[in-house]
């Protein structure tokens, strides 16, 4: 079964950190670039970062640049999102996505930044 499963979301105070994980199964993970998106309440889904198949190339939305870091471990079929200096406006459901000739979405994990 082709799937992506996110984990690591939760409640964190402003200025805090979280690391999200996205575990892939059922397809050749290393053959696909990966993206993280987020969707805040009442807003459109936003692309926040992309990582190449081998993890060498990354890109970030301006809203998270310098605070978030994406990485992947192809041996573990997992992509990560390290989020530092979190702000209330980072509150959203975070989704990972594999794209190419196959497109796969995870179910999302909720991140809430609040004091």
């Amino acid at each position: 079964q082709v799937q992506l499963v996110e984990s690591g979301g939760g409640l964190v105070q402003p200025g805090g950190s979280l690391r999200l994980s996205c575990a892939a199964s059922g397809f050749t993970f290393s053959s696909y670039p990966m993206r993280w998106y987020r969707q805040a309440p009442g807003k459109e889904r936003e692309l926040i970062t992309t990582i190449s198949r081998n993890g060498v190339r990354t890109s970030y939305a301006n809203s998270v640049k310098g605070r978030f870091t994406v990485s992947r471990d192809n041996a573990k079929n997992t992509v990560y999102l390290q989020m530092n200096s979190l702000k209330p406006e980072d509150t959203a459901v975070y989704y990972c996505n594999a794209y190419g000739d196959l497109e796969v979405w995870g179910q999302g994990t909720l991140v809430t930044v609040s004091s």
Side-chain angles (χ1 to χ4, degrees):
Q1 181 181 1
V2 173
Q3 64 176 356
L4 295 170
V5 179
E6 300 98 335
S7 61
L11 174 64
V12 62
Q13 292 187 342
S17 297
L18 279 177
R19 188 174 84 151
L20 306 183
S21 299
C22 169
S25 60
F27 64 101
T28 306
F29 176 73
S30 59
S31 295
Y32 292 86
M34 296 294 296
R35 292 171 170 163
W36 284 96
Y37 288 79
R38 67 184 180 186
Q39 188 164 20
K43 296 189 175 181
E44 292 187 356
R45 191 169 292 190
E46 174 190 17
L47 173 62
I48 57 173
T49 185
T50 301
I51 186 167
S52 62
R53 287 183 289 266
N54 60 6
V56 171
R57 293 186 304 278
T58 58
S59 62
Y60 298 91
N62 287 336
S63 57
V64 305
K65 196 173 294 183
R67 300 187 298 122
F68 290 13
T69 303
V70 63
S71 62
R72 66 190 295 163
D73 185 338
N74 286 342
K76 295 183 178 180
N77 292 340
T78 301
V79 61
Y80 304 97
L81 183 65
Q82 177 67 43
M83 306 185 295
N84 299 328
S85 303
L86 283 161
K87 306 174 182 180
E89 51 264 43
D90 295 316
T91 294
V93 177
Y94 285 72
Y95 300 89
C96 59
N97 164 246
Y99 67 98
D101 58 353
L102 180 71
E103 180 126 7
V104 188
W105 289 88
Q107 83 289 350
T109 186
L110 176 63
V111 172
T112 303
V113 184
S114 175
S115 55

